[in-house]
Amino acid sequence: NILREEIRERCPNVPITEFQPSEVHISLSRPFAIRRHHFDHFKEKAIELFRSSKMLLGSTVWIDRLQVFSNDEATRFFFVANICTGREEVRAHIHFSHHFVSSEVQKSSIATDLVECAQFSLRLIIALIRAVDELMIAFGLSPYHSDPQPHISLAWTLQAVPSELHILKQLTSPI
């Protein structure tokens, strides 16, 4: 996978723990610890929140860069793929990558539809983050950042990652 190869290439001396495919996730909250006696109640409320929200994520998300984030204490660092919003470079990438469509109108229409789908998915992710914020606050936990950067967590390390590597790669065309 191109993303994992980039992490290994840019950080060869950093011991990295990759998430297993079943563990790769879109982060909806800060990393947090919860008291054992609150765990079952928190889990029940989280399941209830997701069932009642009826928010289903679309299958289209675009990744435009690899970054490193840290937890608030800077004791754990996460290698993440940033989910982008469907900016013009996404539109241009989609537009030029559809060579099998002969009409410029068709290409433009496909590009517009895919970008709108990606934007819709991003709005749903942010809505889920806000719903999880309410749950976190109800349990006395810190909500996510006021201006969240939706991302897919790929790996982590306990070793500090130099700040010059916090943006590992700006992708020339989103994937």
Side-chain angles (χ1 to χ4, degrees), residues 62 83-91 115-116 118-119 122:
W62 290 92
I83 299 173
C84 63
T85 59
R87 296 180 299 239
E88 284 307 309
E89 61 264 36
V90 176
R91 185 179 304 276
V115 167
E116 287 175 4
Q119 289 172 334
L122 186 63

Side-chain angles (χ1 to χ4, degrees), residues 81-119:
N82 184 67
I83 299 173
C84 63
T85 59
R87 296 180 299 239
E88 284 307 309
E89 61 264 36
V90 176
R91 185 179 304 276
H93 170 69
I94 296 167
H95 180 79
F96 293 115
S97 67
H98 285 86
H99 299 293
F100 61 90
V101 179
S102 58
S103 161
E104 288 302 313
V105 173
Q106 286 176 318
K107 287 180 184 180
S108 179
S109 177
I110 291 169
T112 299
D113 290 348
L114 289 173
V115 167
E116 287 175 4
C117 187
Q119 289 172 334

